Amino acid sequence: MSTPSVLFVCVHNAGRSQMAAGWLRHLAGDAVEVRSAGSVPGDQVNPAAVAAMAEVGIDISDQRPKVLTTDAVEASDVVITMGCGDACPVFPGKRYLDWALTDPAGKGVEAVRPIRDEIEARIRGLLTELDVAR
């Protein structure tokens, strides 16, 4: 079986999608190809998201927001949107999930922790669905 590919999309690609990508890389290693992008990328990853992830031993400080491209969607098996509305192109044969998560933009690390923990739980569930050993 080929390696499944997951794309996380949010508006700024600076908080939720970066934390989700960090969790998936951490928990799945090379078993899943991980991408993230934003419909209107920010200029840096949210420092509170970086700090919250560092608390659980996951370093996302080297990540940079990227613009969502049609190619990234086409190359992914699963596309998980997080509040990007209609900005994400839809292709037949792809699996789309929409995760309703609070936007961590402008919030401190205390407010980001519960978002981080909810993302972890969803990632663990996704790995089970994808049948990827952790």
Side-chain angles (χ1 to χ4, degrees):
M1 186 180 111
S2 64
T3 303
S5 174
V6 177
L7 169 65
F8 296 102
V9 182
C10 66
V11 176
H12 300 299
N13 189 219
R16 295 166 289 190
S17 55
Q18 293 286 358
M19 288 191 289
W23 272 118
L24 187 53
R25 282 186 198 99
H26 178 74
L27 294 171
D30 294 337
V32 177
E33 188 178 352
V34 180
R35 297 183 178 90
S36 71
S39 52
V40 184
D43 53 4
Q44 68 175 17
V45 175
N46 180 335
V50 172
M53 292 299 284
E55 289 177 353
V56 293
I58 301 172
D59 182 7
I60 61 169
S61 65
D62 62 340
Q63 299 300 307
R64 298 287 171 262
K66 294 171 278 310
V67 69
L68 176 64
T69 64
T70 303
D71 290 346
V73 177
E74 277 190 300
S76 301
D77 300 312
V78 180
V79 179
I80 299 174
T81 57
M82 303 170 175
C84 70
D86 297 329
C88 192
V90 175
F91 292 97
K94 305 293 175 194
R95 181 168 173 216
Y96 291 88
L97 301 172
D98 186 53
W99 290 357
L101 296 162
T102 303
D103 187 348
K107 295 179 171 53
V109 72
E110 301 79 19
V112 174
R113 284 183 191 118
I115 302 167
R116 172 201 67 202
D117 296 344
E118 183 177 349
I119 291 171
E120 176 190 10
R122 289 176 184 242
I123 292 295
R124 290 183 183 278
L126 177 68
L127 287 171
T128 300
E129 290 173 33
L130 293 174
D131 198 25
V132 172
R134 299 192 286 274

